[in-house]
Amino acid sequence: MSIQHAELILNPDGSIYHLNLKPEDIATEIIFVGDPDRVDKITKHFDTIEFTTQKREFKTTTGTYKNKRLSVISTGIGAGNIDIVLNELDALVNIDLEKREVKKTHTSLQIIRIGTSGSLHEDIPVDSFLLSSHALDTTGMLFAYQTEKIVQKELTNAFKKEIGLTINNIEPLVIENSNRLANKVLSKNIHQGITATANGFYGPQGRVLRLNLQDPLVNKNLDTFNHQGHRVTNLEMETAAIYGLSKLLGHEALSLNAIIANRAKGSFSKNPEEVIENLITYTLNKLAE
């Protein structure tokens, strides 16, 4: 059955609506960043650049690094933007855009996020790297989809039992990363933990400026969770959406964070750009191996 025009929206040139991309513009191995300016900070290391475009906050550059074809895409901030990016990327590889039909052969993308985050624990210091073994979704976005088959039930149930049925009035879900991608980039220099994904930067992450929080203990409760060695290590705004939608759509995903703040100590990196650059080169070299 043909997908309706109001469901699958294309630009006049045939590119997908928000990302402004055609199927040939992207590699099957993709790096996500939040900030459009960070795309160039990654692709400056490329040996060749074959394509680049930008529409709104979504900037894409495709090229090669050590003979590995890669695309780098900026997603902007938040789970809502991830919903756009992942659905449109999947459409590029798994829907025939001219016929508006799902292809019979499925293509799986490999997606690695390079982001920044703040640690919740004193033993995960600023300027370190963290790999998200799981993501804890507290945004509610994934509940628009049928998530029963992708949820890590043991950790989700343990979290609900120990911490509560909701966080900021949102039912939590725990989703696992791609073990294959994790094994590809993991080393002894990288911390691991559950990344909590919030639907905002201030109140949803326990920050107080002029507004009081509905739950002042939200960060302390997250910090105390520990189930068979699995603990919530950091807060950000995208990883759970990336993990959840990737699993639903049949793609592999991994999130890496440069830790530039330590919420437990109240400290911030003195040179955040350096630690981000170090994570970029580390990830590129792991992907090229």
Side-chain angles (χ1 to χ4, degrees), residues 28-29 90 93-94 105-111 180 246 249-252:
T28 56
E29 294 187 53
D90 179 77
V93 296
N94 288 313
T105 302
H106 178 270
T107 297
S108 180
L109 300 172
Q110 299 172 51
I111 298 164
R180 192 185 71 80
S246 292
L249 291 166
H251 305 301
E252 297 188 69

Side-chain angles (χ1 to χ4, degrees), residues 17 21 27 45 52 85 89-90 99 103 136 139 142 150 155 166 174-175 185 211 223 269:
Y17 184 59
L21 295 170
H45 297 284
T52 189
V85 173
L89 286 176
D90 179 77
K99 295 181 179 179
K103 295 179 180 179
L136 171 67
T139 71
L142 290 173
I150 67 164
L155 280 174
T166 66
V174 179
I175 305 124
V185 305
L211 296 177
D223 183 49
S269 174

